[in-house]
Amino acid sequence: MPGPPRDPEYGNGPAGEPLTPPVPLAALLGDRELGLRHLAGPATAGVHGVHASEMPDPSPYLLGGELLLTAGAGPADDPDGYVARLAGAGAAALGFGVAPVHEEVPAALAEACARHGLPLLEVPPRTPFSAVARAVGRLMAEARTRELRRVTEAQQALAAAAARPDPVPAVLARLAASLGGSVALWPGGRAAGPELPAPAWEALSALLARVGREGGPVTATDRAGGHHLAAYALAGRAALGTATPARAPGDHTVASVAAVLLTLLTAERPAGAEAASLTRLLLDGNPAAALTAGPWYAVHARGSGDPQALAAALGTVLLDPHEGGVRLLTDREPAAQPGWRLGVSAPAAPSAPAALATADAQAARALQRAEAARTPLARHTDPGFAGLVGEAEARAHAEALLGPLSPALRETLRGWLAHHGNWDRTAAALGVHRNTVRQRVARAAELLDRDLDDPDVRMELWFALRVAAG
C-alpha cells in the first residue's frame, strides 16, 4: 500500500519500518549535555529526525518532522522566506548553530520563526550537530522500546481480563486503561473510560453503526471533539469503538487484540475443539490460537433445511442461525448442499484480526450472486474493488468520494499513492516540482477532509481512483 506522510503526533519511517513515537522537543531542551536553548516559536514539537543543510532552500529534501540544523549560511539573505519554506515543508524545528558564521542568532530569523510558528533553538559552539543527531536517534530507540513493551503488557492484561468471571466489562475497562481513553461496545451501550464530549460521541456512534452493518467496512476512523476515533467490526454485526485524546503507534494493535477477544466472548459459545481453542486463547493471550491455522471459510446460506444438519454436512459446529438464513465457519472447503443456496468466502487465515470479518462480508456477497443466478453455490473469486461491491456501486461511490477533487488533484493523488508517498518519484512521474506535489496532496486531504495517514483511507482512495479512471 502507498506510504503515508508523517503525522504531526507520531511518525513513521519508510515503508516497512515500525511506527515510532517522535522525540518531544522538551526532551532535547532538557539534555544538559547538548545545551540547546529555545529562542522563538512554539516550545513544543515532535522530532522524527535530524537534517543539516546550508542551502537557501532545503525544503525539497525534507520529509516532514525534521529538526533542521544550520550554521546560518542558508537563511542569511532571506530569513522570512527561508522560514516560510521550512514551515511549509513540515519541519519540526530549526536549530541555529552559533559560530563560526554568526556569534548570535539573527533577530530577523527569530522574528520570522515566531511569525510562522516554527520553533527556533540555539545550538552552542561546543555542541556538534552530530551530537544532536545521535541524541535524537537514541531517544527514538528508547521510545520504540517503551512502545513495544507497552503493547506487550497491554495484550497480556487483556488476555487476563478475558479470563475473569465477567469478561466483557473487564476487557472494555482494561482496553480503556491501556489506551488512556474511552471505549464502547455497540449495540448494547456497554462502555468504559471517561465520558466523551457530544461531538466525539456522535461521530463515534456513526462509525460504530457504519462498521456494524452488513456490507460495511471492517474498520473506520475519524477525528472529532478533540479525540481520535476508531471502530472495529465484531461478529454478529457488533462493533468496538475507541476514542483517545492522543494516539500512540501501538494503539491499533492493542485495539485489534481486544476486538478478537470480544468477538469470541460475545459470540455463541462454541463446542468441542473450538472451545479448547478459546480456552488456549484466554490463558495464553495469543489471538492466533483462537482457531487452527485453517484455511477457514465463511459461509452464508438460505434454505428450508435444518441449520444443524447443514453445519454437520459442512463439518463444523460454528453456526449462527438468524432470520432469513444462517452463517457458518468451517475449515473444510464447502460443497453444494441439497435444499440450500450457499455463498462461500475465499479461504482465510485467522491470524489476522480482520480476516474472518472480511470473509464474512465476502460470503454475504457471494450468496447474493448465488440467489441472483439461481445456482446452489457461489464463491468469492474476484479480488477487485468492483468485484467486491459491484461495478455500478463502486463507480458511484468513487465519484461521490472524489467529487471535490479537480482532475489535476486526482492525478497527483493517484501518482503519490502509486509511488508509496515518495515526493521525488511522484514529481518526476508527473513532471512537476516536488513542492507542487506536496501542495496538491495537502489540498486534496483538505478538500476530502480525510486523514491520509490512515491506511483505510489510503486504501479506499486508491481503489476509488482506479475505478474512476477506468
PDB file of all heavy atoms in Angstrom, residues 261-295:
ATOM      1  N   LEU A 261     -10.766 -10.747  21.092  1.00  0.00           N
ATOM      2  CA  LEU A 261     -11.291 -11.293  22.341  1.00  0.00           C
ATOM      3  C   LEU A 261     -12.788 -11.050  22.474  1.00  0.00           C
ATOM      4  O   LEU A 261     -13.550 -11.953  22.844  1.00  0.00           O
ATOM      5  CB  LEU A 261     -10.548 -10.663  23.519  1.00  0.00           C
ATOM      6  CG  LEU A 261      -9.089 -11.095  23.714  1.00  0.00           C
ATOM      7  CD1 LEU A 261      -8.412 -10.183  24.718  1.00  0.00           C
ATOM      8  CD2 LEU A 261      -9.017 -12.544  24.162  1.00  0.00           C
ATOM      9  N   LEU A 262     -13.232  -9.836  22.179  1.00  0.00           N
ATOM     10  CA  LEU A 262     -14.653  -9.516  22.328  1.00  0.00           C
ATOM     11  C   LEU A 262     -15.500 -10.269  21.306  1.00  0.00           C
ATOM     12  O   LEU A 262     -16.646 -10.619  21.594  1.00  0.00           O
ATOM     13  CB  LEU A 262     -14.855  -8.006  22.184  1.00  0.00           C
ATOM     14  CG  LEU A 262     -14.300  -7.180  23.356  1.00  0.00           C
ATOM     15  CD1 LEU A 262     -14.278  -5.705  23.007  1.00  0.00           C
ATOM     16  CD2 LEU A 262     -15.123  -7.424  24.621  1.00  0.00           C
ATOM     17  N   THR A 263     -14.958 -10.503  20.119  1.00  0.00           N
ATOM     18  CA  THR A 263     -15.680 -11.310  19.139  1.00  0.00           C
ATOM     19  C   THR A 263     -15.951 -12.703  19.686  1.00  0.00           C
ATOM     20  O   THR A 263     -17.059 -13.232  19.590  1.00  0.00           O
ATOM     21  CB  THR A 263     -14.872 -11.406  17.828  1.00  0.00           C
ATOM     22  OG1 THR A 263     -14.782 -10.113  17.237  1.00  0.00           O
ATOM     23  CG2 THR A 263     -15.537 -12.360  16.846  1.00  0.00           C
ATOM     24  N   LEU A 264     -14.936 -13.303  20.298  1.00  0.00           N
ATOM     25  CA  LEU A 264     -15.104 -14.640  20.861  1.00  0.00           C
ATOM     26  C   LEU A 264     -16.006 -14.639  22.090  1.00  0.00           C
ATOM     27  O   LEU A 264     -16.811 -15.550  22.284  1.00  0.00           O
ATOM     28  CB  LEU A 264     -13.734 -15.210  21.223  1.00  0.00           C
ATOM     29  CG  LEU A 264     -12.795 -15.480  20.033  1.00  0.00           C
ATOM     30  CD1 LEU A 264     -11.393 -15.760  20.519  1.00  0.00           C
ATOM     31  CD2 LEU A 264     -13.309 -16.642  19.193  1.00  0.00           C
ATOM     32  N   LEU A 265     -15.883 -13.596  22.904  1.00  0.00           N
ATOM     33  CA  LEU A 265     -16.643 -13.555  24.155  1.00  0.00           C
ATOM     34  C   LEU A 265     -18.119 -13.251  23.938  1.00  0.00           C
ATOM     35  O   LEU A 265     -18.957 -13.655  24.747  1.00  0.00           O
ATOM     36  CB  LEU A 265     -16.037 -12.505  25.090  1.00  0.00           C
ATOM     37  CG  LEU A 265     -14.642 -12.827  25.636  1.00  0.00           C
ATOM     38  CD1 LEU A 265     -14.048 -11.606  26.316  1.00  0.00           C
ATOM     39  CD2 LEU A 265     -14.703 -14.015  26.593  1.00  0.00           C
ATOM     40  N   THR A 266     -18.459 -12.531  22.886  1.00  0.00           N
ATOM     41  CA  THR A 266     -19.853 -12.143  22.667  1.00  0.00           C
ATOM     42  C   THR A 266     -20.566 -13.056  21.690  1.00  0.00           C
ATOM     43  O   THR A 266     -21.778 -12.938  21.510  1.00  0.00           O
ATOM     44  CB  THR A 266     -19.934 -10.694  22.147  1.00  0.00           C
ATOM     45  OG1 THR A 266     -19.164 -10.582  20.938  1.00  0.00           O
ATOM     46  CG2 THR A 266     -19.389  -9.721  23.168  1.00  0.00           C
ATOM     47  N   ALA A 267     -19.835 -13.974  21.039  1.00  0.00           N
ATOM     48  CA  ALA A 267     -20.465 -14.890  20.097  1.00  0.00           C
ATOM     49  C   ALA A 267     -21.053 -16.084  20.843  1.00  0.00           C
ATOM     50  O   ALA A 267     -20.852 -16.264  22.052  1.00  0.00           O
ATOM     51  CB  ALA A 267     -19.442 -15.357  19.061  1.00  0.00           C
ATOM     52  N   GLU A 268     -21.786 -16.899  20.099  1.00  0.00           N
ATOM     53  CA  GLU A 268     -22.320 -18.131  20.674  1.00  0.00           C
ATOM     54  C   GLU A 268     -21.157 -18.994  21.159  1.00  0.00           C
ATOM     55  O   GLU A 268     -20.126 -19.099  20.499  1.00  0.00           O
ATOM     56  CB  GLU A 268     -23.131 -18.897  19.626  1.00  0.00           C
ATOM     57  CG  GLU A 268     -24.424 -18.202  19.225  1.00  0.00           C
ATOM     58  CD  GLU A 268     -25.437 -18.213  20.335  1.00  0.00           C
ATOM     59  OE1 GLU A 268     -25.394 -19.150  21.171  1.00  0.00           O
ATOM     60  OE2 GLU A 268     -26.275 -17.301  20.390  1.00  0.00           O
ATOM     61  N   ARG A 269     -21.307 -19.619  22.327  1.00  0.00           N
ATOM     62  CA  ARG A 269     -20.241 -20.440  22.882  1.00  0.00           C
ATOM     63  C   ARG A 269     -20.002 -21.665  21.992  1.00  0.00           C
ATOM     64  O   ARG A 269     -20.895 -22.488  21.807  1.00  0.00           O
ATOM     65  CB  ARG A 269     -20.592 -20.915  24.293  1.00  0.00           C
ATOM     66  CG  ARG A 269     -20.492 -19.809  25.318  1.00  0.00           C
ATOM     67  CD  ARG A 269     -19.032 -19.412  25.538  1.00  0.00           C
ATOM     68  NE  ARG A 269     -18.896 -18.460  26.600  1.00  0.00           N
ATOM     69  CZ  ARG A 269     -18.902 -17.141  26.438  1.00  0.00           C
ATOM     70  NH1 ARG A 269     -19.058 -16.642  25.236  1.00  0.00           N
ATOM     71  NH2 ARG A 269     -18.756 -16.340  27.455  1.00  0.00           N
ATOM     72  N   PRO A 270     -18.811 -21.799  21.398  1.00  0.00           N
ATOM     73  CA  PRO A 270     -18.537 -22.981  20.584  1.00  0.00           C
ATOM     74  C   PRO A 270     -18.316 -24.216  21.447  1.00  0.00           C
ATOM     75  O   PRO A 270     -18.121 -24.114  22.645  1.00  0.00           O
ATOM     76  CB  PRO A 270     -17.248 -22.594  19.853  1.00  0.00           C
ATOM     77  CG  PRO A 270     -16.576 -21.638  20.783  1.00  0.00           C
ATOM     78  CD  PRO A 270     -17.686 -20.884  21.464  1.00  0.00           C
ATOM     79  N   ALA A 271     -18.312 -25.340  20.785  1.00  0.00           N
ATOM     80  CA  ALA A 271     -18.144 -26.603  21.498  1.00  0.00           C
ATOM     81  C   ALA A 271     -16.922 -27.325  20.969  1.00  0.00           C
ATOM     82  O   ALA A 271     -16.334 -26.957  19.964  1.00  0.00           O
ATOM     83  CB  ALA A 271     -19.396 -27.487  21.307  1.00  0.00           C
ATOM     84  N   GLY A 272     -16.543 -28.400  21.663  1.00  0.00           N
ATOM     85  CA  GLY A 272     -15.505 -29.279  21.188  1.00  0.00           C
ATOM     86  C   GLY A 272     -14.164 -28.603  21.041  1.00  0.00           C
ATOM     87  O   GLY A 272     -13.690 -27.895  21.921  1.00  0.00           O
ATOM     88  N   ALA A 273     -13.533 -28.824  19.861  1.00  0.00           N
ATOM     89  CA  ALA A 273     -12.188 -28.311  19.620  1.00  0.00           C
ATOM     90  C   ALA A 273     -12.162 -26.793  19.640  1.00  0.00           C
ATOM     91  O   ALA A 273     -11.186 -26.183  20.080  1.00  0.00           O
ATOM     92  CB  ALA A 273     -11.676 -28.825  18.275  1.00  0.00           C
ATOM     93  N   GLU A 274     -13.247 -26.151  19.179  1.00  0.00           N
ATOM     94  CA  GLU A 274     -13.281 -24.691  19.165  1.00  0.00           C
ATOM     95  C   GLU A 274     -13.285 -24.135  20.589  1.00  0.00           C
ATOM     96  O   GLU A 274     -12.672 -23.103  20.872  1.00  0.00           O
ATOM     97  CB  GLU A 274     -14.501 -24.186  18.387  1.00  0.00           C
ATOM     98  CG  GLU A 274     -14.387 -24.350  16.881  1.00  0.00           C
ATOM     99  CD  GLU A 274     -14.608 -25.783  16.430  1.00  0.00           C
ATOM    100  OE1 GLU A 274     -15.170 -26.561  17.221  1.00  0.00           O
ATOM    101  OE2 GLU A 274     -14.222 -26.111  15.300  1.00  0.00           O
ATOM    102  N   ALA A 275     -13.973 -24.809  21.514  1.00  0.00           N
ATOM    103  CA  ALA A 275     -13.956 -24.362  22.909  1.00  0.00           C
ATOM    104  C   ALA A 275     -12.562 -24.494  23.502  1.00  0.00           C
ATOM    105  O   ALA A 275     -12.106 -23.638  24.261  1.00  0.00           O
ATOM    106  CB  ALA A 275     -14.961 -25.187  23.731  1.00  0.00           C
ATOM    107  N   ALA A 276     -11.850 -25.550  23.123  1.00  0.00           N
ATOM    108  CA  ALA A 276     -10.485 -25.714  23.607  1.00  0.00           C
ATOM    109  C   ALA A 276      -9.588 -24.608  23.064  1.00  0.00           C
ATOM    110  O   ALA A 276      -8.713 -24.088  23.770  1.00  0.00           O
ATOM    111  CB  ALA A 276      -9.946 -27.080  23.186  1.00  0.00           C
ATOM    112  N   SER A 277      -9.817 -24.226  21.799  1.00  0.00           N
ATOM    113  CA  SER A 277      -9.021 -23.142  21.221  1.00  0.00           C
ATOM    114  C   SER A 277      -9.273 -21.835  21.953  1.00  0.00           C
ATOM    115  O   SER A 277      -8.347 -21.053  22.199  1.00  0.00           O
ATOM    116  CB  SER A 277      -9.363 -22.981  19.731  1.00  0.00           C
ATOM    117  OG  SER A 277      -8.965 -24.110  18.999  1.00  0.00           O
ATOM    118  N   LEU A 278     -10.546 -21.567  22.292  1.00  0.00           N
ATOM    119  CA  LEU A 278     -10.870 -20.349  23.025  1.00  0.00           C
ATOM    120  C   LEU A 278     -10.189 -20.353  24.395  1.00  0.00           C
ATOM    121  O   LEU A 278      -9.661 -19.332  24.840  1.00  0.00           O
ATOM    122  CB  LEU A 278     -12.386 -20.222  23.185  1.00  0.00           C
ATOM    123  CG  LEU A 278     -12.889 -19.024  24.015  1.00  0.00           C
ATOM    124  CD1 LEU A 278     -12.362 -17.714  23.439  1.00  0.00           C
ATOM    125  CD2 LEU A 278     -14.398 -19.019  24.101  1.00  0.00           C
ATOM    126  N   THR A 279     -10.175 -21.511  25.049  1.00  0.00           N
ATOM    127  CA  THR A 279      -9.506 -21.604  26.352  1.00  0.00           C
ATOM    128  C   THR A 279      -8.021 -21.291  26.218  1.00  0.00           C
ATOM    129  O   THR A 279      -7.445 -20.556  27.026  1.00  0.00           O
ATOM    130  CB  THR A 279      -9.699 -23.015  26.947  1.00  0.00           C
ATOM    131  OG1 THR A 279     -11.094 -23.269  27.079  1.00  0.00           O
ATOM    132  CG2 THR A 279      -9.029 -23.112  28.308  1.00  0.00           C
ATOM    133  N   ARG A 280      -7.390 -21.833  25.179  1.00  0.00           N
ATOM    134  CA  ARG A 280      -5.967 -21.542  24.962  1.00  0.00           C
ATOM    135  C   ARG A 280      -5.745 -20.048  24.727  1.00  0.00           C
ATOM    136  O   ARG A 280      -4.760 -19.471  25.196  1.00  0.00           O
ATOM    137  CB  ARG A 280      -5.436 -22.340  23.769  1.00  0.00           C
ATOM    138  CG  ARG A 280      -5.304 -23.827  24.038  1.00  0.00           C
ATOM    139  CD  ARG A 280      -4.437 -24.489  22.966  1.00  0.00           C
ATOM    140  NE  ARG A 280      -4.984 -24.316  21.623  1.00  0.00           N
ATOM    141  CZ  ARG A 280      -5.860 -25.138  21.063  1.00  0.00           C
ATOM    142  NH1 ARG A 280      -6.290 -26.196  21.746  1.00  0.00           N
ATOM    143  NH2 ARG A 280      -6.300 -24.930  19.863  1.00  0.00           N
ATOM    144  N   LEU A 281      -6.661 -19.440  23.988  1.00  0.00           N
ATOM    145  CA  LEU A 281      -6.526 -18.003  23.724  1.00  0.00           C
ATOM    146  C   LEU A 281      -6.582 -17.208  25.021  1.00  0.00           C
ATOM    147  O   LEU A 281      -5.753 -16.334  25.272  1.00  0.00           O
ATOM    148  CB  LEU A 281      -7.638 -17.532  22.780  1.00  0.00           C
ATOM    149  CG  LEU A 281      -7.785 -16.014  22.631  1.00  0.00           C
ATOM    150  CD1 LEU A 281      -6.541 -15.416  21.994  1.00  0.00           C
ATOM    151  CD2 LEU A 281      -9.012 -15.677  21.813  1.00  0.00           C
ATOM    152  N   LEU A 282      -7.553 -17.524  25.863  1.00  0.00           N
ATOM    153  CA  LEU A 282      -7.727 -16.758  27.093  1.00  0.00           C
ATOM    154  C   LEU A 282      -6.564 -16.980  28.061  1.00  0.00           C
ATOM    155  O   LEU A 282      -6.149 -16.059  28.758  1.00  0.00           O
ATOM    156  CB  LEU A 282      -9.054 -17.143  27.760  1.00  0.00           C
ATOM    157  CG  LEU A 282     -10.314 -16.822  26.949  1.00  0.00           C
ATOM    158  CD1 LEU A 282     -11.549 -17.250  27.721  1.00  0.00           C
ATOM    159  CD2 LEU A 282     -10.392 -15.340  26.625  1.00  0.00           C
ATOM    160  N   LEU A 283      -6.036 -18.197  28.083  1.00  0.00           N
ATOM    161  CA  LEU A 283      -4.960 -18.481  29.018  1.00  0.00           C
ATOM    162  C   LEU A 283      -3.595 -18.032  28.498  1.00  0.00           C
ATOM    163  O   LEU A 283      -2.754 -17.573  29.261  1.00  0.00           O
ATOM    164  CB  LEU A 283      -4.923 -19.981  29.329  1.00  0.00           C
ATOM    165  CG  LEU A 283      -6.138 -20.541  30.087  1.00  0.00           C
ATOM    166  CD1 LEU A 283      -5.985 -22.038  30.300  1.00  0.00           C
ATOM    167  CD2 LEU A 283      -6.301 -19.836  31.435  1.00  0.00           C
ATOM    168  N   ASP A 284      -3.378 -18.142  27.187  1.00  0.00           N
ATOM    169  CA  ASP A 284      -2.071 -17.836  26.622  1.00  0.00           C
ATOM    170  C   ASP A 284      -1.972 -16.417  26.081  1.00  0.00           C
ATOM    171  O   ASP A 284      -0.873 -15.916  25.819  1.00  0.00           O
ATOM    172  CB  ASP A 284      -1.729 -18.809  25.494  1.00  0.00           C
ATOM    173  CG  ASP A 284      -1.662 -20.249  25.988  1.00  0.00           C
ATOM    174  OD1 ASP A 284      -1.468 -20.435  27.204  1.00  0.00           O
ATOM    175  OD2 ASP A 284      -1.801 -21.169  25.161  1.00  0.00           O
ATOM    176  N   GLY A 285      -3.097 -15.760  25.880  1.00  0.00           N
ATOM    177  CA  GLY A 285      -3.073 -14.399  25.363  1.00  0.00           C
ATOM    178  C   GLY A 285      -2.595 -14.313  23.928  1.00  0.00           C
ATOM    179  O   GLY A 285      -1.999 -13.312  23.529  1.00  0.00           O
ATOM    180  N   ASN A 286      -2.877 -15.343  23.113  1.00  0.00           N
ATOM    181  CA  ASN A 286      -2.416 -15.358  21.721  1.00  0.00           C
ATOM    182  C   ASN A 286      -3.621 -15.404  20.791  1.00  0.00           C
ATOM    183  O   ASN A 286      -4.261 -16.443  20.648  1.00  0.00           O
ATOM    184  CB  ASN A 286      -1.518 -16.579  21.496  1.00  0.00           C
ATOM    185  CG  ASN A 286      -1.013 -16.642  20.070  1.00  0.00           C
ATOM    186  OD1 ASN A 286      -1.171 -15.697  19.292  1.00  0.00           O
ATOM    187  ND2 ASN A 286      -0.402 -17.761  19.711  1.00  0.00           N
ATOM    188  N   PRO A 287      -3.966 -14.290  20.106  1.00  0.00           N
ATOM    189  CA  PRO A 287      -5.143 -14.278  19.235  1.00  0.00           C
ATOM    190  C   PRO A 287      -5.092 -15.344  18.144  1.00  0.00           C
ATOM    191  O   PRO A 287      -6.124 -15.872  17.745  1.00  0.00           O
ATOM    192  CB  PRO A 287      -5.117 -12.867  18.641  1.00  0.00           C
ATOM    193  CG  PRO A 287      -4.358 -12.050  19.625  1.00  0.00           C
ATOM    194  CD  PRO A 287      -3.328 -12.964  20.191  1.00  0.00           C
ATOM    195  N   ALA A 288      -3.906 -15.655  17.642  1.00  0.00           N
ATOM    196  CA  ALA A 288      -3.806 -16.632  16.568  1.00  0.00           C
ATOM    197  C   ALA A 288      -4.186 -18.039  17.030  1.00  0.00           C
ATOM    198  O   ALA A 288      -4.454 -18.909  16.211  1.00  0.00           O
ATOM    199  CB  ALA A 288      -2.386 -16.641  16.007  1.00  0.00           C
ATOM    200  N   ALA A 289      -4.241 -18.253  18.359  1.00  0.00           N
ATOM    201  CA  ALA A 289      -4.578 -19.580  18.875  1.00  0.00           C
ATOM    202  C   ALA A 289      -6.077 -19.815  18.963  1.00  0.00           C
ATOM    203  O   ALA A 289      -6.508 -20.891  19.343  1.00  0.00           O
ATOM    204  CB  ALA A 289      -3.962 -19.772  20.267  1.00  0.00           C
ATOM    205  N   ALA A 290      -6.889 -18.815  18.607  1.00  0.00           N
ATOM    206  CA  ALA A 290      -8.336 -18.964  18.719  1.00  0.00           C
ATOM    207  C   ALA A 290      -8.856 -20.065  17.817  1.00  0.00           C
ATOM    208  O   ALA A 290      -9.792 -20.779  18.152  1.00  0.00           O
ATOM    209  CB  ALA A 290      -9.028 -17.649  18.371  1.00  0.00           C
ATOM    210  N   LEU A 291      -8.240 -20.239  16.653  1.00  0.00           N
ATOM    211  CA  LEU A 291      -8.618 -21.281  15.726  1.00  0.00           C
ATOM    212  C   LEU A 291      -7.347 -21.914  15.182  1.00  0.00           C
ATOM    213  O   LEU A 291      -6.265 -21.345  15.267  1.00  0.00           O
ATOM    214  CB  LEU A 291      -9.454 -20.712  14.563  1.00  0.00           C
ATOM    215  CG  LEU A 291     -10.805 -20.080  14.937  1.00  0.00           C
ATOM    216  CD1 LEU A 291     -11.385 -19.356  13.738  1.00  0.00           C
ATOM    217  CD2 LEU A 291     -11.774 -21.144  15.438  1.00  0.00           C
ATOM    218  N   THR A 292      -7.499 -23.081  14.582  1.00  0.00           N
ATOM    219  CA  THR A 292      -6.354 -23.696  13.924  1.00  0.00           C
ATOM    220  C   THR A 292      -5.957 -22.860  12.711  1.00  0.00           C
ATOM    221  O   THR A 292      -6.672 -21.958  12.299  1.00  0.00           O
ATOM    222  CB  THR A 292      -6.703 -25.126  13.486  1.00  0.00           C
ATOM    223  OG1 THR A 292      -7.803 -25.064  12.584  1.00  0.00           O
ATOM    224  CG2 THR A 292      -7.061 -25.978  14.694  1.00  0.00           C
ATOM    225  N   ALA A 293      -4.813 -23.182  12.138  1.00  0.00           N
ATOM    226  CA  ALA A 293      -4.273 -22.359  11.051  1.00  0.00           C
ATOM    227  C   ALA A 293      -5.192 -22.317   9.838  1.00  0.00           C
ATOM    228  O   ALA A 293      -5.144 -21.397   9.045  1.00  0.00           O
ATOM    229  CB  ALA A 293      -2.891 -22.887  10.649  1.00  0.00           C
ATOM    230  N   GLY A 294      -6.050 -23.322   9.686  1.00  0.00           N
ATOM    231  CA  GLY A 294      -7.005 -23.291   8.597  1.00  0.00           C
ATOM    232  C   GLY A 294      -6.422 -23.836   7.300  1.00  0.00           C
ATOM    233  O   GLY A 294      -5.576 -24.722   7.309  1.00  0.00           O
ATOM    234  N   PRO A 295      -6.848 -23.316   6.140  1.00  0.00           N
ATOM    235  CA  PRO A 295      -7.678 -22.114   5.987  1.00  0.00           C
ATOM    236  C   PRO A 295      -9.131 -22.341   6.405  1.00  0.00           C
ATOM    237  O   PRO A 295      -9.604 -23.472   6.427  1.00  0.00           O
ATOM    238  CB  PRO A 295      -7.576 -21.822   4.483  1.00  0.00           C
ATOM    239  CG  PRO A 295      -7.359 -23.166   3.868  1.00  0.00           C
ATOM    240  CD  PRO A 295      -6.509 -23.919   4.829  1.00  0.00           C
TER     241      PRO A 295
END
